[in-house]
Structures are given as C-alpha cells and as structure tokens.
Amino acid sequence: MSAASVPAQSPAESSPHSSPLRPWEGTGLLVLRNYVTYRRQWKLFVTGFLEPVFYLFSIGIGVGKLIHSFEVGGHTIPYAEFVAPGMLAASAFNGALMDSTFNVFFKLKYEKLYDQMLATPLTTSDIARGEIIWGQLRGASYSVAFLLVMWALGLVHSWWAVLAFPATLLIGFAFSAVCMGLTTYMTSWQDFDKVLLVQLPLFLFSGTFFPVTAFHGVLRWVVEATPLYRGVVLCRELTTGVITWESGVSVVYLVAMGLLGLLVVRRRLETLLLT
Amino acid sequence: MATTEIVRDDRRLSPWQGTARQFDYFWTVYRRTWKSSVISSFVAPLLYVLAMGVLLGTFVHVSPGRLEGATSYLAFIVPGLIAAQAMQTAVSETTYPVMAAIKWHKSFWAQMASPLEVRDLANAMLVFTLFRVGSTCGVYFLVMAPFGVFATWWGPVLAWLSTMLVGMAFGTWTFAFSAFIDGPDAFGLIYRLGLVPLFLFSGSFFPVSNLGTVLEGVAKVTPLWHGVNLTRMLCLDRVDGSTALVNVVVLVVVLVSGWWLAIRMLERRMAT
C-alpha cells in the first residue's frame, strides 16, 4: 500500500506497521533485556574478569621467571610483557566465544527466546546485532580492566596501547559474529565438544604463550592465518608500540570476518525462525 | 497363584552390596555416553602438554635445580598437569551430575525407592568418580611414557595412585558441597575462584618458590600442591621421605573427611 493511494492519513498511521522500530531501537531493546537479566548474575560478571588476570600472574610472572625474554619487532621484552597482550586478546576471544555459543544456543533451543522476540516488532537483524553488541559491552569492560592491570604492573610502555582497546572489540566482534553463525547449525549439547576442540587449540597455539617461531614450515603459515593469532599479534604490536603494515592486515582480516559472520547469522536466523 | 503378596525384602544391603548394585547404574550410563568425555578428558590435557610442555618448554633454559630436579620443562610440567587433571575430572563428575541426580532428572529419588540407601548412592557415585579419575590419569601416564619424562618405571605407577588420591580429595568435598547447595549458581564461582587459581598457582606450571615467601606458603596449604608435589617427586624419582609422608597424610585426611561429609550431606538433603 503506497502512501499516495491512501491520502489524508495522520503521520502516525502512515508509518509502515511492519517495522515501527528503527534498527538502533530494536537493538537497544535487546541489549537492555540482556542487561536486566544479567544484573542478577553480577558475581559471574566480576569473576569473569579475574580469569585472564590469574593467567597473567601465573604464566606471565611465575613461568616468566624461567624464561628470560622474547624479541618483538627488534625489541627485547620480558616474558610477562609478551604474555599480557596475548591474554588480553585471548580473553576477548574466550568471552565472545562463550557468549555467542552456549548462551545463544540455550536461548535459541531451550528458552525459545528468539521465537518470542520475533513475535514482537523485533527483526532477526535486531537480534543478531543486539546479541553481538551485548557481548561486546561485556567484553569491553573486561578489556578496559585488564589494560588497567597491565598498566599498573608496568607492562605497557607505549601510547599505542590505548588502541589495544578497540582491537579487543574487533576480536570480540569477529568471533561473536562467526560463532553465533555456527551456533545456529548446532543441534545438541554434544556439539559443544567440537567448540572446545576449536577453542582450546586457538587459545594455546595462537602465539599467546610463546612466539610463532616455535612452529616451522606449513604449520607456521597455518598459525599465522588463524584469526586469534592476528588478534594476538595486533594487541602485542599495540602494547609494545611496534606498529607495522601487518597490523593493518590483521585489522582488515578481523573486520571482514565479523561482517561475513553477521551476514550468515541474519540469514540463518531467518531460515530457522521465520519459516 | 492364589494370593498376590507384596514381598518387602527387609534384609538390608551391606555397604558393599549397595555400592556394587548402584555402581552398575553409573557404568551403564557411562558405556553409552563415554564418547562425550573423550575430548575434555584426553584431547584437552594433551593439547596443554603440547603447548606448554613441548613448545613453551623449548624456550625454558634453566638448570634442573630451578625445576625441582626435572631435566626439562616438559618433565617438570607433565606430573603437575596430570595431578591438576585428576582434580578437574573429579570436580566435573561431582558438580553438575550430583545436582542433576538430586534436582533435575531426580534419579537419586527414584533409586531411593529400591532397597538402596543414601549411603550407597554417594558411595557408588564416588567410586565411579574414582574410576573416571583413574582411567583418565592412567591414559595420560601411558601416553606420556614414550616422551622420556619419567625417571623410573615404578615412579609413574605410584604417581598414578597419588593422582587418584588427589582426585578423590577434591571429588568428595565437591560432592558434599553439591549436595549441600540448593542450585547450580555457585558452580561457576567454584570453577573461577577455586579450580582456575588452584590449577595456575599450585606448582603445575612453575615451582611455587617462584611466588615469593608469602604466596608460596599459601600455595603449600592447598591440597593440590600436596598432590602435585607428591606426583612430581614420584615421576622424577626425587622422593623426599618426610615431605612425601606429609603429602600423603594431608591428601588422605582431606579424602576421608570429604567422603564422610559427602554421605552426611546427601543424607541431609534426601531427608527433606
């Protein structure tokens, strides 16, 4: 029904009823909903921040006493300074992965939350964007806190480190989008074993605990092509202040990955929930 | 048959009979679901060995004195990682599964309608946990043997027993806790404030002397440190008699008190 064929309507009535919410309004509603439900679990929220800090103290400082130093971009840095940005990136990755797999799967399959939401004026795009932005808000607060811990421990020596914060957002965005897309293909909790099978190798072998020089030949090429490795080196380049053209490659890689994921999520939610 | 009589068998089962009957249940369930435990029990720990022991280890160049007598970082880290795996396996078998049997699928309540007693339910589940810890750690030891990280052949055998002690020290107390609480919300906190710090600071990854005097003292109070230390001494053939005795006594006391408490707590829970 075009506006021209039905003249003399009031402005409120002439607005299309199929989508009375603007994208940012729909997204905002979902974020608010998550905030309200998550408020009760503030202890889990607070302790979520502690995990990477524990790893930093244990591996960075405890194991660091057994390892002298590593070279990053021509500079020799102590082990703790090497591990810290790796933990920063890995924490953004782990948070995004957990939020966009376990939580989304539970809402999709068990709570049937998205079915309910789609009975309201919310669209699948609103849900995809809202969930990802919510995960980002949560991850962002962890990243800021962790960067402050790094700074307090004297592990940051460059102003570029400020940009490590948006870098963690980028890591979170890329993984949230892709993992949420993959979650829509899961059928049972058993599939989460496969999540662990991807999560753990990425966490352990992405240059988080030791440099990529530990790998040789094709293996090294594979590691360098994985998304978390790009995120880890990006964060490390920023906190140590050694920016190269490779940093740009990492940024483009993660942005592309996130956008691709977002596209898949929207289409999959439409297939799953609107047919 | 002229009359149908409901025969109530009043002969009480002995604890052994009760445990054996109930263990059968866990065994049947496990035979059908063991595949889902392969990745978390076997693949994940080996990835840690590969990443931290083998790859990170190539960057560790220190004298054996700095590594409690281990000639390589891999030899140092493997016993610690197996002891920590024993803890994790036992805790994961005694958190959500206990809550599920009490609260979600309520199998404990159904089983109480049989001649079994609460004591048998707890015992069988803890024996099953022992089986899970023993098999997981046993495979771990076997897989690590060809890497040349063990000093003797009998050391790892005794160390295997010590990891079972570690697992059950944690498993029994976690069982008691799971039977005590109303809902699963505390489990997330247990993992993040209990398991993760213990895993990271109990001497699995580095000697606790690296922590400084105060924190070293704290670490040495935790049951996991006693387990890691005992396991490592046995694997490296560097057993110090008096320390080993302290380690064993601590773990046995924790285990026995935990087992007693586990039965108590389940009885209390099932009585309401």
Side-chain angles (χ1 to χ4, degrees), chain A residues 115-141:
Chain A
D115 291 85
Q116 297 164 27
M117 285 177 176
L118 289 172
T120 73
L122 288 178
T123 64
T124 48
S125 298
D126 292 330
I127 292 175
R129 277 191 302 261
E131 286 288 14
I132 288 165
I133 288 177
W134 166 248
Q136 289 284 65
L137 286 172
R138 201 178 142 187
S141 54

Short mmCIF file of all heavy atoms in Angstrom, two decimals, chain A residues 115-141:
data_model
loop_
_atom_site.label_atom_id
_atom_site.label_comp_id
_atom_site.label_asym_id
_atom_site.label_seq_id
_atom_site.Cartn_x
_atom_site.Cartn_y
_atom_site.Cartn_z
N ASP A 115 12.21 -16.93 19.28
CA ASP A 115 10.86 -17.10 18.71
C ASP A 115 9.90 -16.08 19.31
O ASP A 115 9.09 -15.48 18.62
CB ASP A 115 10.36 -18.52 19.01
CG ASP A 115 11.12 -19.58 18.24
OD1 ASP A 115 12.17 -20.00 18.74
OD2 ASP A 115 10.66 -19.94 17.15
N GLN A 116 10.04 -15.92 20.63
CA GLN A 116 9.16 -14.96 21.31
C GLN A 116 9.43 -13.54 20.83
O GLN A 116 8.52 -12.76 20.60
CB GLN A 116 9.36 -15.05 22.82
CG GLN A 116 9.00 -16.39 23.40
CD GLN A 116 9.58 -16.57 24.80
OE1 GLN A 116 9.81 -15.61 25.51
NE2 GLN A 116 9.81 -17.81 25.18
N MET A 117 10.73 -13.25 20.69
CA MET A 117 11.07 -11.88 20.29
C MET A 117 10.59 -11.56 18.89
O MET A 117 10.19 -10.44 18.60
CB MET A 117 12.59 -11.71 20.35
CG MET A 117 13.12 -11.60 21.75
SD MET A 117 14.89 -11.50 21.70
CE MET A 117 15.22 -11.27 23.44
N LEU A 118 10.62 -12.57 18.01
CA LEU A 118 10.22 -12.31 16.63
C LEU A 118 8.71 -12.15 16.51
O LEU A 118 8.22 -11.70 15.48
CB LEU A 118 10.73 -13.42 15.71
CG LEU A 118 12.25 -13.37 15.53
CD1 LEU A 118 12.74 -14.58 14.78
CD2 LEU A 118 12.68 -12.10 14.80
N ALA A 119 7.98 -12.52 17.56
CA ALA A 119 6.55 -12.26 17.58
C ALA A 119 6.28 -10.80 17.92
O ALA A 119 5.15 -10.33 17.86
CB ALA A 119 5.86 -13.17 18.60
N THR A 120 7.33 -10.09 18.30
CA THR A 120 7.24 -8.65 18.55
C THR A 120 7.80 -7.94 17.33
O THR A 120 8.25 -8.61 16.39
CB THR A 120 8.07 -8.27 19.79
OG1 THR A 120 9.45 -8.35 19.44
CG2 THR A 120 7.79 -9.18 20.96
N PRO A 121 7.78 -6.63 17.32
CA PRO A 121 8.31 -5.95 16.12
C PRO A 121 9.82 -6.11 15.91
O PRO A 121 10.36 -5.59 14.95
CB PRO A 121 7.97 -4.48 16.37
CG PRO A 121 6.85 -4.50 17.34
CD PRO A 121 7.10 -5.68 18.22
N LEU A 122 10.52 -6.86 16.77
CA LEU A 122 11.96 -7.06 16.55
C LEU A 122 12.20 -7.91 15.31
O LEU A 122 11.41 -8.81 15.02
CB LEU A 122 12.60 -7.76 17.75
CG LEU A 122 12.76 -6.97 19.04
CD1 LEU A 122 13.36 -7.86 20.11
CD2 LEU A 122 13.62 -5.75 18.83
N THR A 123 13.30 -7.64 14.61
CA THR A 123 13.64 -8.43 13.43
C THR A 123 14.85 -9.32 13.73
O THR A 123 15.52 -9.13 14.75
CB THR A 123 14.01 -7.51 12.25
OG1 THR A 123 15.18 -6.78 12.61
CG2 THR A 123 12.89 -6.56 11.92
N THR A 124 15.13 -10.25 12.82
CA THR A 124 16.31 -11.11 13.02
C THR A 124 17.58 -10.27 13.06
O THR A 124 18.51 -10.60 13.79
CB THR A 124 16.42 -12.14 11.88
OG1 THR A 124 16.26 -11.47 10.64
CG2 THR A 124 15.40 -13.23 12.03
N SER A 125 17.62 -9.21 12.26
CA SER A 125 18.81 -8.34 12.29
C SER A 125 18.98 -7.70 13.66
O SER A 125 20.09 -7.58 14.17
CB SER A 125 18.70 -7.24 11.24
OG SER A 125 18.64 -7.82 9.97
N ASP A 126 17.87 -7.28 14.26
CA ASP A 126 17.94 -6.68 15.59
C ASP A 126 18.54 -7.67 16.58
O ASP A 126 19.36 -7.31 17.43
CB ASP A 126 16.54 -6.29 16.09
CG ASP A 126 15.95 -5.15 15.30
OD1 ASP A 126 16.73 -4.32 14.79
OD2 ASP A 126 14.71 -5.10 15.18
N ILE A 127 18.10 -8.94 16.47
CA ILE A 127 18.59 -9.95 17.40
C ILE A 127 20.08 -10.18 17.20
O ILE A 127 20.86 -10.19 18.15
CB ILE A 127 17.80 -11.27 17.22
CG1 ILE A 127 16.36 -11.06 17.70
CG2 ILE A 127 18.45 -12.40 17.99
CD1 ILE A 127 15.46 -12.23 17.46
N ALA A 128 20.49 -10.34 15.93
CA ALA A 128 21.91 -10.58 15.65
C ALA A 128 22.75 -9.42 16.18
O ALA A 128 23.72 -9.61 16.91
CB ALA A 128 22.12 -10.76 14.15
N ARG A 129 22.33 -8.20 15.83
CA ARG A 129 23.11 -7.03 16.27
C ARG A 129 23.08 -6.89 17.78
O ARG A 129 24.09 -6.62 18.40
CB ARG A 129 22.54 -5.76 15.63
CG ARG A 129 23.03 -5.48 14.24
CD ARG A 129 22.63 -4.07 13.83
NE ARG A 129 21.18 -3.90 13.90
CZ ARG A 129 20.37 -3.98 12.84
NH1 ARG A 129 20.87 -4.18 11.64
NH2 ARG A 129 19.07 -3.82 12.96
N GLY A 130 21.90 -7.08 18.36
CA GLY A 130 21.75 -6.88 19.80
C GLY A 130 22.60 -7.84 20.60
O GLY A 130 23.29 -7.43 21.54
N GLU A 131 22.57 -9.11 20.22
CA GLU A 131 23.38 -10.10 20.96
C GLU A 131 24.86 -9.78 20.84
O GLU A 131 25.62 -9.92 21.80
CB GLU A 131 23.10 -11.51 20.45
CG GLU A 131 21.75 -12.09 20.86
CD GLU A 131 21.68 -12.45 22.34
OE1 GLU A 131 22.55 -12.03 23.11
OE2 GLU A 131 20.72 -13.14 22.73
N ILE A 132 25.27 -9.41 19.63
CA ILE A 132 26.69 -9.15 19.43
C ILE A 132 27.12 -7.89 20.19
O ILE A 132 28.15 -7.87 20.86
CB ILE A 132 27.01 -9.06 17.93
CG1 ILE A 132 26.93 -10.48 17.33
CG2 ILE A 132 28.41 -8.48 17.69
CD1 ILE A 132 26.88 -10.52 15.84
N ILE A 133 26.28 -6.86 20.17
CA ILE A 133 26.63 -5.63 20.89
C ILE A 133 26.66 -5.89 22.40
O ILE A 133 27.54 -5.42 23.11
CB ILE A 133 25.66 -4.49 20.54
CG1 ILE A 133 25.96 -4.03 19.11
CG2 ILE A 133 25.79 -3.32 21.52
CD1 ILE A 133 25.05 -2.97 18.60
N TRP A 134 25.73 -6.70 22.89
CA TRP A 134 25.73 -7.02 24.31
C TRP A 134 27.03 -7.73 24.70
O TRP A 134 27.69 -7.37 25.68
CB TRP A 134 24.53 -7.90 24.68
CG TRP A 134 24.67 -8.52 26.02
CD1 TRP A 134 24.84 -9.82 26.31
CD2 TRP A 134 24.68 -7.83 27.28
NE1 TRP A 134 24.97 -10.01 27.67
CE2 TRP A 134 24.88 -8.80 28.28
CE3 TRP A 134 24.56 -6.48 27.65
CZ2 TRP A 134 24.95 -8.48 29.64
CZ3 TRP A 134 24.64 -6.16 29.00
CH2 TRP A 134 24.82 -7.15 29.97
N GLY A 135 27.41 -8.72 23.90
CA GLY A 135 28.66 -9.43 24.17
C GLY A 135 29.84 -8.47 24.15
O GLY A 135 30.76 -8.56 24.96
N GLN A 136 29.78 -7.51 23.23
CA GLN A 136 30.86 -6.54 23.11
C GLN A 136 30.94 -5.65 24.34
O GLN A 136 32.03 -5.33 24.82
CB GLN A 136 30.61 -5.65 21.89
CG GLN A 136 30.80 -6.33 20.58
CD GLN A 136 32.28 -6.51 20.28
OE1 GLN A 136 32.97 -7.22 20.99
NE2 GLN A 136 32.76 -5.84 19.28
N LEU A 137 29.78 -5.24 24.87
CA LEU A 137 29.78 -4.38 26.05
C LEU A 137 30.42 -5.10 27.22
O LEU A 137 31.22 -4.53 27.97
CB LEU A 137 28.35 -3.97 26.42
CG LEU A 137 27.71 -2.93 25.51
CD1 LEU A 137 26.25 -2.76 25.86
CD2 LEU A 137 28.45 -1.60 25.62
N ARG A 138 30.05 -6.36 27.37
CA ARG A 138 30.60 -7.15 28.45
C ARG A 138 32.11 -7.33 28.26
O ARG A 138 32.91 -7.10 29.16
CB ARG A 138 29.91 -8.51 28.43
CG ARG A 138 29.99 -9.23 29.71
CD ARG A 138 29.23 -10.53 29.57
NE ARG A 138 29.93 -11.56 30.28
CZ ARG A 138 29.60 -12.85 30.25
NH1 ARG A 138 28.60 -13.24 29.50
NH2 ARG A 138 30.27 -13.71 30.94
N GLY A 139 32.49 -7.73 27.05
CA GLY A 139 33.91 -7.93 26.76
C GLY A 139 34.71 -6.65 26.91
O GLY A 139 35.82 -6.65 27.43
N ALA A 140 34.10 -5.53 26.51
CA ALA A 140 34.80 -4.25 26.57
C ALA A 140 35.15 -3.89 28.01
O ALA A 140 36.24 -3.40 28.30
CB ALA A 140 33.95 -3.15 25.95
N SER A 141 34.24 -4.17 28.92
CA SER A 141 34.52 -3.82 30.31
C SER A 141 35.67 -4.67 30.85
O SER A 141 36.51 -4.19 31.61
CB SER A 141 33.26 -3.98 31.17
OG SER A 141 32.74 -5.27 31.02
#
